[in-house]
Amino acid sequence: MILVTGGAGYIGSHVCMALLEAGLDVVVIDNLSNSNQASLQRVQSLCGRSLIFRQIDIRDEEAVYDIIHDFGVTAVIHLAGLKAVGDSNVRPLSYYENNVVGTMRLVSAMTKANVKTLVFSSSATVYGVPTYLPLDERHPLGPTNPYGRTKFFIEETLKDLYRSDAEWRIGILRYFNPAGAHESGLIGEDPVGVPNNLLPFVAQVAIGRQEKLRIWGNDYNTPDGTGIRDFIHVVDLASGHLSVLNGLKQPGVITLNLGTGNGSSVLEVVRTFEAVSGRSVAYEIGGRRAGDVAICYADPTLAGDTLGWQSARSLAQMCADHWRWQLKNPNGYRES
Ligand code: UD1
């Protein structure tokens, strides 16, 4: 039985789908602070298998222990956490409390239950401003905001945990920019309020929920002047979790980038989205967004060598799948 924390969220629902499809049993805990349980109903009807859901916060150590103990959990995929960079500057303590303290309680419950296999959802944001590209796992770390620092502190804590107890098997996954949706169009990203991230914003312009995209700067040192990111299809990202779970055969800590290795500019994303959706995406050029870097993309070689994992889906497919989800669910899960 695999415990997925934050399993009702955007990445979590796709991870649950991958686990169930692989024949694994799943129990999800989620406090539903930024997710909707409808995602899990859809996951179950899509794959024709059921999972167990409990509305529990990872900070509730006793409740987490009971779940691990009662359901015979053997490994944990830990995705629960707050994730908005701007918000983390405004209320840093909530980020430290939910992400760092939450992870400490989760790991403590795991220790008590003698379950020592953990996959942790980290982020490429731990690298901060790139000093070279592509970013490999040896690149120096230097997160530039509280959200990124919570991921960094958790990574360091998990490494200390392994140093103190060599029975642990820990996979740290540094995601680049997750995008797209399951190809059924039934599960996808459902941001609350105005989206911060590019793909959901573009999709909402295409469907008419937002008037126009503001492109944060076209004066970067890139071919078209807009920022370049490594967008990775959420289904590829989800399959990476399964690969690392299978790959954690020996005790140790493995830290892996999950990215495609390809950079796409903001304008390329807009044009690709227009092409696959047949809609126009109105935009205007704004000033640079504080904290943004010009270019960020992964060297995903280590995940390939270690796990045999690599991304398979193109930017066009990410846009097409994101659009299908947006079209079928113009208001996300709220009308379901
Ligand atoms: C952001 C976070 C990162 C987090 C990731 C999760 C920041 C600085 N970084 O990454 O820590 O792990 O989301 O997916 O917030 N853009 C626009 N207009 C928009 C939105 C975005 O031009 O309305 C541009 C951005 O300037 C950037 C690119 O699109 O060049 C991607 O932005 P976004 O989707 O927010 O991701 P990141 O900033 O790369």
Side-chain angles (χ1 to χ4, degrees):
M1 178 71 76
I2 311 297
L3 170 61
V4 182
T5 76
Y10 171 44
I11 295 169
S13 53
H14 291 84
V15 167
C16 289
M17 185 79 199
L19 295 173
L20 290 173
E21 280 180 324
L24 295 164
D25 294 321
V26 175
V27 53
V28 168
I29 60 171
D30 197 306
N31 68 5
L32 300 179
S33 68
N34 188 29
S35 58
N36 192 315
Q37 208 188 321
S39 65
L40 294 176
Q41 279 145 18
R42 294 188 183 187
V43 164
Q44 293 174 88
S45 55
L46 265 172
C47 65
R49 294 194 58 215
S50 55
L51 54 72
I52 300 157
F53 171 74
R54 295 288 185 275
Q55 185 172 352
I56 286 173
D57 191 301
I58 52 169
R59 289 167 292 178
D60 187 346
E61 189 175 325
E62 255 177 61
V64 175
Y65 172 83
D66 287 344
I67 292 283
I68 295 172
H69 178 264
D70 295 352
F71 292 107
V73 168
T74 52
V76 177
I77 298 183
H78 174 34
L79 312 169
L82 300 179
K83 61 165 191 172
V85 173
D87 186 37
S88 80
N89 285 314
V90 178
R91 38 186 211 115
L93 295 186
S94 295
Y95 279 70
Y96 288 111
E97 167 73 16
N98 276 275
N99 297 4
V100 180
V101 174
T103 303
M104 301 307 97
R105 302 242 171 95
L106 169 70
V107 167
S108 171
M110 290 175 71
T111 307
K112 279 181 200 144
N114 201 31
V115 172
K116 296 183 178 174
T117 301
L118 175 67
V119 177
F120 170 60
S121 150
S122 188
S123 167
T125 203
V126 296
Y127 295 118
V129 180
T131 55
Y132 61 85
L133 289 163
L135 288 159
D136 59 28
E137 291 82 354
R138 288 183 304 272
H139 187 284
L141 306 182
T144 56
N145 56 69
Y147 159 71
R149 279 187 280 276
T150 66
K151 295 291 182 187
F152 169 73
F153 291 143
I154 295 166
E155 285 197 6
E156 294 301 307
T157 309
L158 295 178
K159 289 176 201 164
D160 283 337
L161 183 64
Y162 173 70
R163 285 183 204 112
S164 75
D165 176 355
E167 286 179 5
W168 279 88
R169 293 154 203 247
I170 298 172
I172 294 172
L173 301 180
R174 294 181 179 152
Y175 308 156
F176 280 70
N177 289 60
H182 188 264
E183 62 177 7
S184 63
L186 290 179
I187 54 172
E189 187 169 10
D190 183 17
V192 175
V194 179
N196 294 310
N197 296 121
L198 182 62
L199 254 294
F201 204 106
V202 166
Q204 290 197 8
V205 175
I207 200 108
R209 263 175 81 181
Q210 304 289 340
E211 194 197 334
K212 60 179 140 178
L213 171 72
R214 176 162 299 180
I215 293 181
W216 304 121
N218 67 348
D219 57 352
Y220 286 106
N221 189 14
T222 62
D224 65 23
T226 64
I228 290 180
R229 295 291 183 275
D230 186 340
F231 297 94
I232 173 162
H233 198 296
V234 66
V235 173
D236 286 335
L237 196 71
S239 82
H241 293 72
L242 195 60
S243 300
V244 74
L245 207 53
N246 292 329
L248 287 172
K249 301 274 182 246
Q250 308 294 331
V253 181
I254 49 175
T255 303
L256 298 170
N257 285 339
L258 292 186
T260 67
N262 300 313
S264 305
S265 76
V266 175
L267 272 174
E268 257 177 277
V269 171
V270 170
R271 303 255 153 77
T272 307
F273 202 95
E274 288 183 322
V276 302
S277 66
R279 302 276 178 108
S280 66
V281 175
Y283 68 82
E284 66 183 15
I285 306 294
R288 293 183 179 189
R289 182 172 68 177
D292 273 357
V293 298
I295 309 178
C296 175
Y297 61 98
D299 178 346
T301 310
L302 192 59
D305 291 350
T306 317
L307 307 174
W309 172 89
Q310 60 183 28
S311 66
R313 292 162 179 84
S314 65
L315 180 65
Q317 195 167 347
M318 283 176 235
C319 291
D321 291 339
H322 209 114
W323 178 235
R324 190 177 306 106
W325 152 254
Q326 181 71 66
L327 259 186
K328 283 192 174 185
N329 309 272
N331 296 308
Y333 291 113
R334 277 173 289 279
E335 281 177 353
S336 60

